[in-house]
Amino acid sequence: MTPPQPSRATRLERFFAEAGGDYRTASQVDRDRLLYSSFFSRLAEVTQVVSADKGYVFHNRLTHTLKVAQLARRLSEKIMQEQPEEVRSLGGLDPDVAEAAALAHDLGHPPFGHLAEAALNHLCEDIGGYEGNAQSFRIVTVLAVGDGIGLSSGDSVGLNLTRATLNGILKYPWILGQNPAKTNKWGAYESERSQFTWVRESQAFPENVKGVEAEIMDWADDITFSVHDLIDFYCAGQIPLDVLAADPDGGAEKNDFFEEVFQRCQDLAPRRHTLEDAFTGIMQYSPLNRRYVGSRDQRYQLYLYATMLISRYVNGIRLDPTGLPSGSCIKIEDGLRDEIRMLKELTWHYVILQNDLATEQHGKRRVVETVFGELHSAAQSRSSWNLFPPFFTEHLQNVIGDKKATTRIVADYIASMTERELMRTFYLLTGATPKKSGRD
């Protein structure tokens, strides 16, 4: 299948026309606008899985995002060099667009991560829910403010990114309810339908199918998430990589891991043998033969192992325009998706499902629910709007009388906070006493 090819001018068009004259390309401007956004810098205080006050410096959402962006750029450059004909047949590929999309992909990730996302989704069910990817799209099209964009004040909403970058952000290129095959994920809220429709109306891919930069960004995200979480939690003493790699024939530790995963993930059970083989195979590459102590040699071996894994997954992707009828323009080498899935399951098994983190997350969920309830009540009365900063007060002013839009702004405010800001807001709203920590 050869898709229609939009012109470069169409891909690089903006929702609001801007005056020209910048020496940078349009996609370079997109990248820079995202990099300087306050929504981007807040990711430094949003955890990846657990916070850094646990005694080991884990990746946070900012360091994760920077690595996804670097990897998305390198993947794009590699593909352009190796498959120029396939790139042309798909309407083009721009490393700056792929990098910009990666910089934006986690902007909608709320404080406390996926547990807060689930809590906000429940609290917002009357207005179409909350979804981190849809929130990222809302941030760049509505909420973020970019200096020097050169628009009139009436038009200056969002970062006014190009159609190509916005399409690259759409990991789930549909609005809630538009894709019956995937109802728990979506890429834009109903409130941003006009921007979403504009993005998708002049691009080369069928309905509900990701663009090429979105595919590359998604694979870069998978690689980064699985490899760096693996390394983080091994170094923190939570994932026993040395034990799992020691016995290629199994062993109690590995068998316990398999039993829990395939009992919890029933969808994987029919492919259990294949997935077990994939996991055992990737563990055989591990040079780790003892718990992490941080010696120079061990750090070097860990670096080599992480580099090997990343190179393996970078070299395993190719463009495949013939795959579009089935929903993807990329092909991943056989077995690599299975390896990535099983590496992710290590974090679930050894970290996320453990009692101490589950207990902590229960408490954080209560924080999100309490702050949302207090702010939602305050948003109903102008006399209580002083609980919101001026930026969100202005948004409330613009939607007076619209209850659904008001609820969305409350969710916007919570999602814009860092984790420290959310906890401080909780203490101030409830009169609770903050616990002392080594970082206070």
Side-chain angles (χ1 to χ4, degrees):
M1 175 182 180
T2 302
Q5 299 181 31
S7 68
R8 183 171 177 79
T10 299
R11 270 175 49 90
L12 299 182
E13 185 180 6
R14 301 187 186 278
F15 194 72
F16 297 108
E18 297 182 15
D22 198 308
Y23 70 92
R24 297 168 295 175
T25 66
S27 51
Q28 287 172 341
V29 170
D30 285 356
R31 177 210 178 264
D32 294 349
R33 287 179 183 175
L34 286 158
L35 195 62
Y36 283 89
S37 167
S38 62
F39 284 91
F40 180 77
S41 58
R42 69 170 274 276
L43 295 176
E45 290 201 16
V46 179
T47 59
Q48 179 78 352
V49 178
V50 299
S51 59
D53 61 8
K54 298 298 181 184
Y56 174 80
V57 180
F58 296 93
H59 281 81
N60 57 43
R61 282 286 155 178
L62 181 61
T63 58
H64 164 76
T65 296
L66 290 171
K67 291 182 178 182
V68 175
Q70 180 269 337
L71 199 52
R73 169 174 281 280
R74 296 294 176 246
L75 281 166
S76 300
E77 292 168 343
K78 178 177 181 294
I79 289 170
M80 290 177 68
Q81 180 179 345
E82 295 178 354
Q83 295 184 271
E85 291 300 321
E86 288 84 352
V87 168
R88 280 191 288 272
S89 75
L90 290 170
L93 170 59
D94 187 333
D96 284 304
V97 167
E99 183 179 3
L103 290 174
H105 88 282
D106 262 350
L107 293 180
H109 198 77
F112 306 145
H114 293 300
L115 78 89
E117 183 179 23
L120 288 171
N121 186 40
H122 175 71
L123 293 164
C124 294
E125 60 184 356
D126 291 341
I127 61 167
Y130 182 96
E131 211 285 337
N133 295 279
Q135 189 70 16
S136 295
F137 190 80
R138 176 170 168 82
I139 286 169
V140 298
T141 57
V142 175
L143 297 176
V145 177
D147 294 332
I149 290 179
L151 303 175
S152 67
S153 59
D155 287 341
S156 187
V157 292
L159 297 179
N160 200 34
L161 304 178
T162 63
R163 178 183 276 116
T165 296
L166 291 174
N167 199 39
I169 294 169
L170 290 171
K171 178 179 176 179
Y172 305 106
W174 56 84
I175 292 175
L176 177 64
Q178 285 188 339
N179 187 354
K182 206 170 186 71
T183 58
N184 63 335
K185 291 289 186 181
W186 61 97
Y189 300 124
E190 184 63 38
S191 53
E192 283 70 65
R193 178 178 285 273
S194 61
Q195 295 95 325
F196 173 83
T197 301
W198 174 81
V199 169
R200 297 291 292 178
E201 67 186 1
S202 299
Q203 55 83 49
F205 295 85
E207 184 179 21
N208 297 339
V209 174
K210 293 193 289 282
V212 61
E213 284 97 352
E215 288 277 18
I216 289 171
M217 178 269 290
D218 194 17
W219 185 238
D221 189 25
D222 276 348
I223 296 171
T224 305
F225 181 85
S226 59
V227 173
H228 291 127
D229 276 2
L230 178 74
I231 300 303
D232 276 354
F233 294 120
Y234 166 67
C235 291
Q238 293 180 270
I239 295 181
L241 271 182
D242 52 322
V243 178
L244 292 166
D247 187 354
D249 296 322
E253 191 73 41
K254 187 182 294 183
N255 289 334
D256 286 348
F257 167 62
F258 288 153
E259 287 301 320
E260 188 279 318
V261 168
F262 294 111
Q263 183 176 1
R264 172 169 48 85
C265 304
Q266 292 295 312
D267 60 312
L268 300 182
R271 302 184 61 248
R272 175 168 179 164
H273 180 71
T274 299
L275 290 163
E276 286 185 359
D277 284 349
F279 180 80
T280 299
I282 203 65
M283 285 295 103
Q284 289 177 349
Y285 290 107
S286 172
L288 308 170
N289 57 11
R290 61 176 296 187
R291 67 178 179 85
Y292 184 72
V293 296
S295 67
R296 184 182 185 281
D297 180 68
Q298 197 173 41
R299 286 171 180 257
Y300 179 64
Q301 293 299 323
L302 199 58
Y303 166 79
L304 291 180
Y305 185 47
T307 300
M308 182 279 295
L309 289 176
I310 291 171
S311 297
R312 179 178 178 83
Y313 300 131
V314 165
N315 290 325
I317 180 176
R318 292 184 60 80
L319 289 188
D320 181 17
T322 64
L324 276 179
S326 63
S328 178
C329 64
I330 66 166
K331 180 176 176 59
I332 305 297
E333 187 178 313
D334 290 346
L336 297 189
R337 287 193 191 275
D338 290 341
E339 292 176 9
I340 289 281
R341 176 62 187 267
M342 294 303 286
L343 291 179
K344 288 182 178 181
E345 291 302 331
L346 284 172
T347 299
W348 275 95
H349 177 76
Y350 286 104
V351 183
I352 296 174
L353 297 178
Q354 296 308 301
N355 175 262
D356 55 346
L357 184 58
T359 303
E360 178 184 335
Q361 290 188 333
H362 177 78
K364 289 177 176 178
R365 187 177 298 107
R366 292 291 299 275
V367 168
V368 174
E369 293 168 348
T370 300
V371 173
F372 183 93
E374 294 290 334
L375 291 177
H376 191 263
S377 295
Q380 311 308 313
S381 172
R382 284 195 184 196
S383 63
S384 300
W385 282 5
N386 58 354
L387 296 184
F388 294 85
F391 179 81
F392 289 99
T393 301
E394 292 168 0
H395 279 278
L396 289 172
Q397 178 69 40
N398 292 334
V399 299
I400 290 176
D402 188 334
K403 292 185 177 181
K404 290 186 176 182
T406 298
T407 300
R408 180 62 67 195
I409 291 168
V410 173
D412 289 338
Y413 179 32
I414 292 174
S416 74
M417 296 180 187
T418 66
E419 288 166 11
R420 193 177 302 189
E421 287 172 337
L422 181 57
M423 290 305 303
R424 180 175 181 272
T425 302
F426 171 76
Y427 295 135
L428 291 173
L429 288 174
T430 63
T433 303
K435 67 178 183 179
K436 296 295 183 180
S437 74
R439 303 200 320 172
D440 291 337

